[in-house]
Amino acid sequence: MNCMKLTLLVSGLLLGALPLAAQQAPALSLTCPAPNASTALQKLACEIRDLTMPAPTAGATLTVDARANGGITVRGWSGSTVKVRALVTARAATLADARALVAAVKVSTQNNLLRAGRANESLDGWAVDYEVLVPATTNLDLKATNGSITIENVAGTLRLATTNGSLALRSVNGDVRGQTTNGSLALQLTGESWVGSGLDVSTVNGSIDWQLPSVYAATILARTTHGKISAELNTKRKSVLPHNLAATLGKGGAQLKANTVHGSITVKQPADAPVAVPVSGE
């Protein structure tokens, strides 16, 4: 399925299925570190920058590039624009030098690309973390190296990649692919079923915690090489082995995969609520 067809599918099916949190504008919460984050050898300077970008057109992708130092949090909301809070930090021997380094960092929002850099291309001593609000149906390409990635209440073609950081996915749908090398995976799905072509996420050195609603329809596949799998699922159609899990939830559906090499996997659904039985009158 190409990006245009996927976008139309998600737009038609998902807006009503997304939780209420996606229908309201979440508050931007990134703040500067406490003053005591400075040390005797290194002083810390910080600056908050609030920016606005046009939302990508249908079929286009918003790229957030936080390499080499910085994390990314993206949340869906009901607005038609992209709101960005960039937290720029820098460390240097003196506070004046740290402030000068912060001032030299430029954050660009051109051509559906959010990224930062210095005029001399140096990566030393500074970092930018991003908190981004996007329309609830948006294609995303999120990149980090030394930072974590969190995404919630968004549907579309989603690509996430970091090296030293965790991945957290909450209330997402669409065609979702993500990977990290040194970090955990936290998956929290909502709704009654997956909407879109599927999920495929992996880590090398990290555990996986996967939470699903008590009633859900999908095909679940999980694998670990040097860890164990624990599964509490509301289905009899499952195969749970020490290193592999395969399960059909509800009527089945999209294939959802999660893999790790050095880590354990926990997959859990809350127990089904008991069905109330009417009591006949005498």
Side-chain angles (χ1 to χ4, degrees):
M1 183 180 294
N2 62 36
C3 291
M4 180 63 75
K5 289 182 179 179
L6 177 62
T7 299
L8 292 174
L9 170 67
V10 172
S11 297
L13 298 179
L14 208 97
L15 288 177
L18 283 172
L20 182 61
Q23 309 303 317
Q24 301 172 348
L28 294 171
S29 58
L30 269 181
T31 58
C32 285
N36 60 9
S38 294
T39 67
L41 297 178
Q42 283 196 322
K43 303 302 180 184
L44 173 70
C46 170
E47 184 175 284
I48 295 288
R49 301 180 190 173
D50 289 328
L51 310 165
T52 300
M53 300 173 62
T57 57
T61 298
L62 173 65
T63 298
V64 182
D65 187 347
R67 299 174 295 182
N69 299 305
I72 304 169
T73 297
V74 179
R75 298 185 179 91
W77 74 304
S78 59
S80 59
T81 59
V82 176
K83 294 184 178 294
V84 178
R85 172 163 289 187
L87 172 63
V88 184
T89 56
R91 295 182 182 273
T94 69
L95 185 57
D97 287 344
R99 288 173 174 168
L101 189 54
V102 166
V105 175
K106 308 301 179 184
V107 179
S108 172
T109 60
Q110 301 298 313
N111 301 318
N112 293 328
L113 172 61
L114 176 62
R115 67 184 300 270
R118 289 184 62 200
N120 63 4
E121 299 299 325
S122 172
L123 299 177
D124 294 335
W126 62 273
V128 180
D129 294 286
Y130 299 96
E131 185 177 10
V132 186
L133 304 183
V134 301
T137 302
T138 301
N139 297 330
L140 296 170
D141 185 2
L142 309 181
K143 303 174 182 178
T145 301
N146 298 309
S148 297
I149 297 176
T150 297
I151 181 170
E152 58 185 49
N153 298 324
V154 181
T157 300
L158 311 180
R159 299 292 182 264
L160 305 83
T162 187
T163 301
N164 300 308
S166 61
L167 297 181
L169 293 80
R170 307 183 186 106
S171 301
V172 298
N173 283 281
D175 177 11
V176 183
R177 304 287 182 267
Q179 60 184 17
T180 181
T181 301
N182 301 307
S184 61
L185 301 181
L187 311 175
Q188 184 177 355
L189 306 187
T190 56
E192 296 181 352
S193 64
W194 185 270
V195 179
S197 59
L199 169 75
D200 191 345
V201 290
S202 65
T203 180
V204 177
N205 301 306
S207 61
I208 299 175
D209 180 70
W210 196 344
Q211 303 293 325
L212 296 123
S214 60
V215 177
Y216 200 76
T219 299
I220 301 295
L221 300 172
R223 175 178 173 80
T224 177
T225 304
H226 301 294
K228 293 183 178 180
I229 290 181
S230 170
E232 297 179 23
L233 298 172
N234 301 327
T235 180
K236 295 181 179 179
R237 294 184 293 170
K238 62 184 178 182
S239 171
V240 184
L241 300 175
H243 302 291
N244 293 276
L245 164 68
T248 300
L249 306 181
K251 296 180 179 180
Q255 194 171 86
L256 311 182
K257 300 179 182 178
N259 298 281
T260 181
V261 178
H262 303 287
S264 295
I265 302 175
T266 300
V267 185
K268 187 174 182 180
Q269 286 181 291
D272 284 328
V275 179
V277 179
V279 178
S280 301
E282 295 182 358

